[in-house]
mmCIF file of all heavy atoms in Angstrom:
data_model
loop_
_atom_site.group_PDB
_atom_site.id
_atom_site.type_symbol
_atom_site.label_atom_id
_atom_site.label_comp_id
_atom_site.label_asym_id
_atom_site.label_seq_id
_atom_site.Cartn_x
_atom_site.Cartn_y
_atom_site.Cartn_z
ATOM 1 N N LYS A 2 62.804 51.265 129.740
ATOM 2 C CA LYS A 2 64.091 51.613 129.140
ATOM 3 C C LYS A 2 63.883 52.548 127.945
ATOM 4 O O LYS A 2 64.598 53.514 127.731
ATOM 5 C CB LYS A 2 64.796 50.333 128.679
ATOM 6 C CG LYS A 2 66.149 50.187 129.330
ATOM 7 C CD LYS A 2 66.844 48.991 128.773
ATOM 8 C CE LYS A 2 68.229 48.907 129.370
ATOM 9 N NZ LYS A 2 68.911 47.701 128.946
ATOM 10 N N THR A 4 61.395 54.586 127.424
ATOM 11 C CA THR A 4 61.006 55.950 127.841
ATOM 12 C C THR A 4 62.251 56.755 128.230
ATOM 13 O O THR A 4 62.384 57.913 127.861
ATOM 14 C CB THR A 4 60.051 55.874 129.057
ATOM 15 O OG1 THR A 4 59.210 54.771 128.880
ATOM 16 C CG2 THR A 4 59.261 57.134 129.233
ATOM 17 N N ALA A 48 84.955 102.689 101.350
ATOM 18 C CA ALA A 48 85.594 102.439 102.651
ATOM 19 C C ALA A 48 87.077 102.745 102.527
ATOM 20 O O ALA A 48 87.847 101.911 102.060
ATOM 21 C CB ALA A 48 85.392 100.994 103.079
ATOM 22 N N LEU A 68 72.706 100.453 110.085
ATOM 23 C CA LEU A 68 72.170 99.164 110.538
ATOM 24 C C LEU A 68 72.482 98.941 112.027
ATOM 25 O O LEU A 68 71.633 98.443 112.775
ATOM 26 C CB LEU A 68 72.743 98.020 109.691
ATOM 27 C CG LEU A 68 72.289 98.021 108.227
ATOM 28 C CD1 LEU A 68 73.050 96.972 107.423
ATOM 29 C CD2 LEU A 68 70.781 97.759 108.121
ATOM 30 N N GLY A 93 83.542 83.309 111.412
ATOM 31 C CA GLY A 93 82.910 83.963 112.562
ATOM 32 C C GLY A 93 83.609 85.219 113.040
ATOM 33 O O GLY A 93 83.382 85.670 114.161
ATOM 34 N N TYR A 118 72.003 96.687 97.585
ATOM 35 C CA TYR A 118 72.040 98.026 98.187
ATOM 36 C C TYR A 118 72.901 99.002 97.385
ATOM 37 O O TYR A 118 73.070 100.166 97.777
ATOM 38 C CB TYR A 118 72.518 97.956 99.657
ATOM 39 C CG TYR A 118 74.001 97.671 99.799
ATOM 40 C CD1 TYR A 118 74.902 98.679 100.092
ATOM 41 C CD2 TYR A 118 74.505 96.388 99.604
ATOM 42 C CE1 TYR A 118 76.269 98.441 100.196
ATOM 43 C CE2 TYR A 118 75.863 96.131 99.707
ATOM 44 C CZ TYR A 118 76.728 97.150 100.001
ATOM 45 O OH TYR A 118 78.078 96.902 100.087
ATOM 46 N N PHE A 125 86.602 100.334 82.609
ATOM 47 C CA PHE A 125 88.071 100.447 82.545
ATOM 48 C C PHE A 125 88.504 101.884 82.807
ATOM 49 O O PHE A 125 87.816 102.819 82.388
ATOM 50 C CB PHE A 125 88.573 100.016 81.166
ATOM 51 C CG PHE A 125 88.254 98.582 80.852
ATOM 52 C CD1 PHE A 125 87.014 98.238 80.307
ATOM 53 C CD2 PHE A 125 89.153 97.573 81.132
ATOM 54 C CE1 PHE A 125 86.691 96.915 80.039
ATOM 55 C CE2 PHE A 125 88.838 96.240 80.872
ATOM 56 C CZ PHE A 125 87.604 95.919 80.324
ATOM 57 N N GLY A 202 92.314 115.365 83.417
ATOM 58 C CA GLY A 202 92.796 115.718 82.083
ATOM 59 C C GLY A 202 93.636 114.592 81.488
ATOM 60 O O GLY A 202 93.880 114.549 80.286
ATOM 61 N N ALA A 210 81.044 99.016 79.181
ATOM 62 C CA ALA A 210 80.741 98.178 80.351
ATOM 63 C C ALA A 210 80.796 96.710 79.955
ATOM 64 O O ALA A 210 80.288 96.333 78.891
ATOM 65 C CB ALA A 210 79.364 98.524 80.887
ATOM 66 N N GLY A 217 75.568 93.174 97.438
ATOM 67 C CA GLY A 217 74.760 92.728 98.580
ATOM 68 C C GLY A 217 75.609 92.736 99.831
ATOM 69 O O GLY A 217 76.842 92.611 99.761
ATOM 70 N N GLN A 257 81.987 114.517 95.269
ATOM 71 C CA GLN A 257 83.188 114.530 94.405
ATOM 72 C C GLN A 257 83.141 113.434 93.344
ATOM 73 O O GLN A 257 83.959 113.387 92.431
ATOM 74 C CB GLN A 257 84.434 114.316 95.268
ATOM 75 C CG GLN A 257 84.801 115.547 96.051
ATOM 76 C CD GLN A 257 86.080 115.311 96.841
ATOM 77 O OE1 GLN A 257 86.812 114.350 96.646
ATOM 78 N NE2 GLN A 257 86.348 116.215 97.752
#
Side-chain angles (χ1 to χ4, degrees):
K2 238 185 177 175
T4 323
L68 293 172
Y118 73 102
F125 298 85
Q257 285 183 13

